[in-house]
Amino acid sequence: MKKGCVHPMLTPVNKMPDTDIPRPEFPRPDWERKDWISLNGTWSFRFDPKDTGLDQMWQDHGETSYESSIMVPFSWVSPLSGIGRNEKGIGWYRRTIHWIPEQDDSRMFLCFGAVDYACDVWINGTHVGSHKGCYGTFEFEVSNLWLNHADNVIVVRVEDNDYSYQARGKQGYGETRGIWQPVWLESRRQNYVKAATIVTRLDGCVEVAATIEANCSGIAELTFQFDRGAVNHKVQVELVEGKNEVQTTFTVDEPRLWSPETPFLYEGELRLHCGDDVDAVSTYFGIREIGTALFGKRDYRWITLNGKPVYLNGTLDQSYHEAGYFTYPTDEEMRDEIYLMKRLGLNFVRIHIKPEEPRKLYWADKLGILVMEDMPCFWGNPDETARAMYESEAREVIERDRNHPSIFSWVMFNETWGLKTDDKAPDQTRDWIPASQYLPETQAWVREIYQWAKQLDPTRLVEDNSPCNWDHVESDLNTWHFYLNGYEQVREHVSKIVSQTFPGSTFNYCEGNQQSDAPLMNSECGNVWGIEGGAGDSDIAWHYRYMLNEFRRHDKLCGFVFTEFRDVINEFNGYYRLNGTDKQFGYEWFVPGMTLRDLHSPDFIVIDAPPCQTVNADSLISVPLLRSSFSDRYFGQTLSLLWELWYDHLGDRIIQAKGSSSVEWDGYGVSSLEPLSVRLPEHDAVAVLAIQLLSEDGEVIMRNFTTFDVRSNMSPEVNEGSGQIIYVPIADYKHHTYSYQWNALQCNKVNGGGEGSFEYEIALPNPEALSVIQDVDILFEASSKRLLLRNIEGETYAKSEISFMHGADANTERNPNTYYMTDDERHESRLQVSIDGERIESFVLPDDPADSRGVLSWHYQEAANKLEEAGSYGYLYKLSIPGRIVGRLDRNRKLKLTLQTDEGGLALYGRNAGRYPIDLIVHCK
């Protein structure tokens, strides 16, 4: 988090929504009954640090023995719980409730969305059941204990000691101790539908496998009614007491397929009729198929959605909330999560090392985004206990979530976490101890888990392990992770991965295993973790554009997962800040109207060139282009490729050249186009080659750009006309008065932090060079200067590693790579300009920005993995000196320029920094 500012989420920390019951909606829209009551809200609570509660029978104690209250469903660690204490161990919950179901002979169930980790439950003093696990949904039938006409006391004991066998995932951001998903009571009929698995086919065939729990035997009718009655199906079943398994099939006429572009859901009801008794469940399904397929003469597969290739533009979602941790305060915020992804043009999300809440999965279904759902990992050795607990929890998750059409893949393990053995590891608890032995027997177990998941759910892609150590065993997806910064480094890395990917290759697989023809896909990428020191907070816009161009160059690659959707506690490479505010990528400055969505187009024009090249003025450059298509929307059409070479000439947009060409658009995959030949300006400039791909009806399909630092032996002219131009290197100030001052980018940028001034003494042309000075203009590029802790304290940063992901302080402002990306937060400064001590102009420097617009600050980085104020840039300022002062300058032929700011500070950009290739300019006419 940035120093000195608070980033509230949509619901501020420690402030609940304006309702007595948080999260009052039904927790599972995919399986909903009408007769229910939420138990979210205030419960009595007490810690049990000495584990004496069971011996002292706290389940029988009254309200007065509970010392505090807690807001369910929030983890007792989170601020929204009202406790806010990260204490391992035992917590007791107590709640009194009076509720009468609609029908007297109902069966009553107490349901828990998720509880971390081991819990025991009592109703009116009687133990009703136990459960172990962090992420699974579970329930207890309490029919025989429930008092319809009196108060009922619910007591829950939860124990969370972070044992090494627990499936915890990435909880270092904020622990999920205790109850952390909704709790509710639900009434059902004597015979009820416990669960149903729904499998759909593209021809409209719907296969249902239902489980019915019956207290009464006899003939019953199971009916399905969806899409406002357009879909109707009935089947008779003969029930026996206890569990009944029913399978049936029906067909939807003219099926409407589910996809991220058209997320149509068949919503309706499943009803069990037993005489006059009816059990009704509201649910839905989406008709879609996930798979892989060979296309053309390729020997590698692509991922398919509904039988067609799909390019997966995805992001990693830590699914973390600043105030609720892994529990969202409102349903609206879960919806907004999916909306904010869709807004960027993303079509899929990887939920990282945790299964998602059912309601958020509902919004993924409803709004349309594909989901790759991870199983949580344990942090200890993969011993027998850990394996058994993992398998139990993975089954709960898959069986709960498998009907969501948005989920296309299960990831069983991540980066071998919990799979490596360390004989010296503690027996009880640990968070992270590096282990080195990925034993053959563990690899065999991973293969078994992959095959088990495929058998449990054959309709989805299953990944054994999402690897960063080249250690697949058997997988439907051939994925890998990388965190690198630098165009050449990313280009070389991706090309190497692609070249080593083919059926039979042993690359990216454990010894003794080899690749199949499974699709190649990146499942984590970004720049921050690859930068030396890690966990810096810097511009991602520059890196992101060239990385996506590199991905789309390769026909084998069919998707990526960018880390990440939002910033989190100690990872700052999100599209959004943690509070949901925007980061400014700046692409619209290069190509009007361009946003991140353009880089996520299934139909894409690759500019096969570096993000910036240093080139000679007036040179002719050939720019290679490729087409990449993973959509048949425009097949058979003639599309238009519009291009424009332009540059900013000291505030004026100059079009150097422009043109267009026709592109016959047909066929999936990557193919070459005719390169563009462009002649660059005759003088120094940052030139931009901007392209647009247009449909036959003029719709913009996507935009892209690349840049050139054009260098000449001549100084660029400020404007037409006579006169003399003086270029003052930005670091050639006479003296300064700032408390904090330093130069950056090889002295092409000077910084003054806090209140102070820079003073320049500038010699003007002598009378032989310019007989009379009639006018003097001054131009420079400047921004405010936001002070970071490292600017004030000096180099005090200590590199950390994996501990960042477990809550360790990332020391963001001490990190040498941190230079905050432009976002909604502004850091103004007021600049006063004086000539020979007389104030002549005042400007507001609106911000200290850094994003893709800082072309020169990126292009002249000395090291790809150690950034120096990367992407920083300023604003162009012009001023004319008043005539009364010019007369004095004409006599003296020198001037003293003072640039003074308030506490907002000042940064000045020279020829090789910022976005304008200029030093401080004095133009005498």
Side-chain angles (χ1 to χ4, degrees):
M1 187 179 298
K2 300 182 182 181
K3 182 178 183 293
C5 66
V6 175
H7 282 315
M9 291 291 289
L10 303 179
T11 303
V13 175
N14 291 323
K15 183 179 185 301
M16 285 303 304
D18 295 329
T19 174
D20 293 333
I21 303 176
R23 299 286 300 276
E25 64 285 337
F26 191 78
R28 292 195 58 186
D30 61 310
W31 199 254
E32 181 174 356
R33 288 183 170 85
K34 292 182 179 179
D35 194 16
W36 72 285
I37 184 172
S38 174
L39 297 183
N40 295 343
T42 302
W43 289 53
S44 299
F45 182 80
R46 67 185 297 188
F47 284 114
D48 186 3
K50 297 181 180 179
D51 192 12
T52 58
L54 286 175
D55 291 340
Q56 297 175 10
M57 300 184 69
W58 286 8
Q59 64 269 25
D60 295 332
H61 288 196
E63 186 76 24
T64 56
S65 66
Y66 285 77
E67 59 199 24
S68 59
S69 62
I70 189 169
M71 187 64 69
V72 170
F74 302 106
S75 159
W76 71 58
V77 184
S78 73
L80 290 183
S81 71
I83 303 294
R85 289 161 57 183
N86 185 12
E87 293 190 17
K88 298 179 184 180
I90 301 167
W92 288 72
Y93 297 74
R94 187 182 191 275
R95 171 78 182 264
T96 301
I97 182 74
H98 186 180
W99 185 60
I100 303 174
E102 292 180 357
Q103 293 180 269
D104 290 339
D105 60 344
S106 295
R107 297 173 69 171
M108 298 286 292
F109 290 82
L110 177 59
C111 308
F112 294 85
V115 178
D116 186 11
Y117 179 72
C119 78
D120 287 273
V121 179
W122 293 263
I123 298 290
N124 298 324
T126 300
H127 187 262
V128 296
S130 303
H131 180 266
K132 286 186 177 181
C134 177
Y135 296 94
T137 296
F138 59 95
E139 64 186 33
F140 303 112
E141 183 169 6
V142 298
S143 304
N144 296 333
L145 302 172
W146 195 256
L147 306 175
N148 283 347
H149 302 288
D151 285 344
N152 293 269
V153 177
I154 304 171
V155 174
V156 180
R157 177 189 182 272
V158 183
E159 182 173 353
D160 183 16
N161 280 307
D162 294 350
Y163 289 122
S164 57
Y165 60 77
Q166 291 181 210
R168 296 183 62 233
K170 202 171 180 179
Q171 287 189 26
Y173 300 138
E175 301 287 342
T176 60
R177 306 194 192 284
I179 298 171
W180 68 279
Q181 286 190 27
V183 185
W184 70 100
L185 276 165
E186 182 179 304
S187 78
R188 304 172 192 169
R189 306 309 303 134
Q190 291 299 311
N191 296 344
Y192 72 94
V193 183
K194 180 177 179 64
T197 299
I198 302 174
V199 175
T200 63
R201 308 294 180 199
L202 298 187
D203 61 3
C205 178
V206 180
E207 301 172 359
V208 181
T211 301
I212 297 172
E213 291 285 350
N215 274 348
C216 310
S217 61
I219 300 298
E221 185 176 68
L222 189 61
T223 68
F224 303 83
Q225 188 175 78
F226 294 90
D227 196 18
R228 300 179 180 179
V231 177
N232 275 288
H233 177 67
K234 299 179 181 180
V235 60
Q236 275 200 343
V237 294
E238 184 171 350
L239 301 178
V240 298
E241 288 189 28
K243 180 185 289 188
N244 297 262
E245 302 290 349
V246 178
Q247 295 185 345
T248 187
T249 301
F250 59 90
T251 300
V252 176
D253 294 330
E254 299 180 354
R256 298 176 63 181
L257 303 185
W258 185 98
S259 72
E261 296 75 27
T262 57
F264 184 80
L265 297 178
Y266 285 86
E267 299 175 283
E269 276 192 334
L270 188 156
R271 288 172 169 258
L272 179 66
H273 299 260
C274 300
D276 295 331
D277 217 11
V278 179
D279 177 58
V281 179
S282 296
T283 185
Y284 60 84
F285 60 88
I287 298 177
R288 63 99 182 94
E289 286 187 19
I290 296 294
T292 68
L294 294 166
F295 288 83
K297 297 180 180 180
R298 299 170 179 87
D299 64 351
Y300 48 87
R301 291 175 176 267
W302 283 334
I303 298 169
T304 59
L305 174 62
N306 299 331
K308 297 180 180 181
V310 57
Y311 192 86
L312 295 174
N313 293 284
T315 187
L316 195 75
D317 187 7
Q318 309 288 0
S319 201
Y320 172 78
H321 187 285
E322 188 178 23
Y325 295 174
F326 291 101
T327 311
Y328 289 89
T330 67
D331 187 48
E332 290 77 14
E333 290 189 59
M334 285 186 279
R335 180 196 182 279
D336 288 347
E337 291 282 278
I338 305 302
Y339 162 77
L340 288 172
M341 295 174 193
K342 297 271 294 181
R343 173 180 173 265
L344 301 178
L346 300 174
N347 61 359
F348 112 95
V349 59
R350 179 183 171 199
I351 307 298
H352 198 35
I353 325 181
K354 66 180 291 291
E356 193 51 271
E357 275 203 60
R359 281 209 71 91
K360 190 172 171 185
L361 290 174
Y362 163 73
W363 287 116
D365 298 336
K366 189 74 172 175
L367 299 182
I369 199 161
L370 291 163
V371 174
M372 174 182 277
E373 184 160 275
D374 288 14
M375 297 300 113
C377 69
F378 49 87
W379 291 102
N381 285 327
D383 56 24
E384 185 176 343
T385 302
R387 293 184 186 189
M389 297 310 301
Y390 169 89
E391 291 173 13
S392 173
E393 199 151 359
R395 177 180 289 277
E396 285 182 339
V397 169
I398 293 175
E399 289 183 344
R400 181 193 68 187
D401 294 346
R402 61 183 299 176
N403 282 343
H404 289 280
S406 58
I407 296 178
F408 79 93
S409 174
W410 306 111
V411 179
M412 307 314 293
F413 298 97
N414 175 74
E415 294 188 343
T416 338
W417 291 355
L419 298 179
K420 293 185 177 181
T421 298
D422 183 353
D423 294 334
K424 297 179 181 179
D427 294 330
Q428 296 297 312
T429 65
R430 66 172 177 169
D431 201 11
W432 175 262
I433 295 177
S436 59
Q437 303 178 71
Y438 188 15
L439 299 176
E441 53 265 37
T442 308
Q443 296 172 29
W445 177 62
V446 169
R447 188 189 305 277
E448 291 172 7
I449 292 297
Y450 161 79
Q451 294 171 347
W452 165 80
K454 288 294 292 181
Q455 184 176 18
L456 184 61
D457 183 7
T459 70
R460 288 182 173 86
L461 305 179
V462 177
E463 189 169 4
D464 58 344
N465 169 48
S466 192
C468 67
N469 298 305
W470 320 116
D471 47 6
H472 277 302
V473 175
E474 184 177 359
S475 180
D476 293 340
L477 295 171
N478 187 1
T479 72
W480 92 103
H481 300 177
F482 78 94
Y483 293 96
L484 292 171
N485 196 60
Y487 167 74
E488 294 294 344
Q489 289 80 357
V490 169
R491 183 180 180 89
E492 180 182 0
H493 175 80
V494 175
S495 295
K496 181 179 179 181
I497 297 296
V498 171
S499 68
Q500 296 182 90
T501 298
F502 52 87
S505 170
T506 58
F507 174 70
N508 202 21
Y509 276 68
C510 293
E511 184 177 357
N513 300 278
Q514 62 183 27
Q515 297 179 19
S516 65
D517 59 358
L520 176 64
M521 176 184 162
N522 171 268
S523 53
E524 284 188 35
C525 62
N527 66 337
V528 170
W529 285 107
I531 295 173
E532 184 178 284
D537 189 342
S538 59
D539 164 42
I540 62 173
W542 183 258
H543 174 278
Y544 192 78
R545 194 197 64 79
Y546 68 68
M547 184 175 67
L548 264 62
N549 267 264
E550 288 306 303
F551 286 156
R552 295 302 291 265
R553 285 180 60 231
H554 298 284
D555 193 76
K556 285 182 185 177
L557 267 172
C558 53
F560 67 91
V561 177
F562 177 70
T563 306
E564 55 212 313
F565 170 53
R566 291 182 191 261
D567 294 349
V568 285
I569 294 301
N570 42 42
E571 295 183 25
F572 310 99
N573 42 338
Y575 296 112
Y576 298 97
R577 293 293 178 197
L578 177 56
N579 65 345
T581 55
D582 291 333
K583 295 182 181 180
Q584 309 301 320
F585 283 67
Y587 298 150
E588 71 282 356
W589 190 73
F590 300 91
V591 192
M594 182 174 175
T595 68
L596 276 167
R597 297 181 66 89
D598 291 283
L599 298 178
H600 301 147
S601 172
D603 296 290
F604 193 89
I605 298 294
V606 177
I607 299 178
D608 192 8
C612 185
Q613 300 176 64
T614 300
V615 293
N616 293 325
D618 199 33
S619 59
L620 186 65
I621 296 293
S622 179
V623 181
L625 301 179
L626 305 169
R627 65 174 291 277
S628 172
S629 180
F630 282 81
S631 164
D632 61 2
R633 179 178 178 182
Y634 301 105
F635 284 3
Q637 295 189 27
T638 301
L639 306 184
S640 297
L641 179 63
L642 275 59
W643 63 270
E644 183 178 81
L645 183 71
W646 71 274
Y647 60 96
D648 187 297
H649 186 58
L650 302 175
D652 296 324
R653 192 176 191 275
I654 306 298
I655 298 175
Q656 173 79 6
K658 61 181 179 180
S660 65
S661 60
S662 297
V663 182
E664 300 302 322
W665 205 264
D666 208 5
Y668 294 112
V670 180
S671 57
S672 298
L673 297 175
E674 286 294 320
L676 287 178
S677 293
V678 294
R679 186 166 296 280
L680 297 170
E682 297 179 349
H683 51 76
D684 282 32
V686 172
V688 178
L689 176 62
I691 66 169
Q692 298 184 70
L693 182 66
L694 272 61
S695 66
E696 288 182 337
D697 60 4
E699 172 197 6
V700 177
I701 299 170
M702 65 84 62
R703 306 167 179 88
N704 206 347
F705 68 90
T706 190
T707 63
F708 305 90
D709 179 20
V710 182
R711 305 185 78 97
S712 69
N713 295 323
M714 304 180 299
S715 298
E717 294 186 12
V718 176
N719 54 27
E720 300 298 327
S722 61
Q724 293 287 323
I725 301 171
I726 303 165
Y727 298 93
V728 181
I730 214 71
D732 284 1
Y733 52 86
K734 186 69 174 177
H735 63 83
H736 75 86
T737 61
Y738 286 102
S739 300
Y740 305 99
Q741 197 285 316
W742 70 101
N743 297 342
L745 297 169
Q746 304 92 55
C747 290
N748 279 277
K749 180 182 178 184
V750 299
N751 298 295
E755 184 178 357
S757 64
F758 289 110
E759 185 177 292
Y760 294 85
E761 292 184 358
I762 302 169
L764 302 181
N766 59 38
E768 289 76 19
L770 189 63
S771 59
V772 178
I773 299 177
Q774 297 179 342
D775 296 290
V776 179
D777 296 329
I778 297 176
L779 298 91
F780 55 88
E781 181 180 352
S783 70
S784 63
K785 183 69 250 170
R786 176 185 181 178
L787 281 173
L788 306 179
L789 286 177
R790 74 163 185 270
N791 305 140
I792 299 170
E793 299 176 355
E795 294 294 333
T796 59
Y797 177 70
K799 179 181 176 181
S800 297
E801 293 288 350
I802 198 73
S803 60
F804 284 162
M805 292 187 286
H806 298 276
D809 183 1
N811 294 313
T812 317
E813 293 200 349
R814 294 184 174 92
N815 190 297
N817 298 303
T818 291
Y819 200 103
Y820 290 118
M821 185 173 174
T822 319
D823 58 20
D824 290 350
E825 185 178 328
R826 291 291 180 261
H827 301 271
E828 288 187 356
S829 182
R830 182 164 292 277
L831 170 66
Q832 306 289 345
V833 182
S834 300
I835 301 296
D836 295 342
E838 182 176 346
R839 185 173 298 172
I840 65 167
E841 188 63 271
S842 175
F843 298 106
V844 172
L845 307 177
D847 195 14
D848 183 9
D851 55 56
S852 62
R853 286 167 282 195
V855 173
L856 299 171
S857 294
W858 269 117
H859 186 47
Y860 290 104
Q861 289 291 308
E862 290 190 300
N865 66 339
K866 188 174 183 180
L867 303 182
E868 183 184 22
E869 306 198 4
S872 60
Y873 65 93
Y875 304 89
L876 186 64
Y877 292 95
K878 306 177 184 179
L879 60 96
S880 296
I881 297 177
R884 67 181 184 277
I885 298 177
V886 173
R888 185 168 68 245
L889 299 180
D890 180 55
R891 295 192 305 273
N892 298 335
R893 297 292 167 148
K894 63 180 181 179
L895 68 79
K896 183 173 70 174
L897 172 67
T898 304
L899 303 175
Q900 181 175 354
T901 58
D902 60 14
E903 65 277 3
L906 174 64
L908 297 168
Y909 297 82
R911 168 62 181 81
N912 292 349
R915 59 175 162 175
Y916 300 99
I918 61 170
D919 286 300
L920 193 155
I921 294 176
V922 178
H923 185 200
C924 299
K925 294 175 282 186

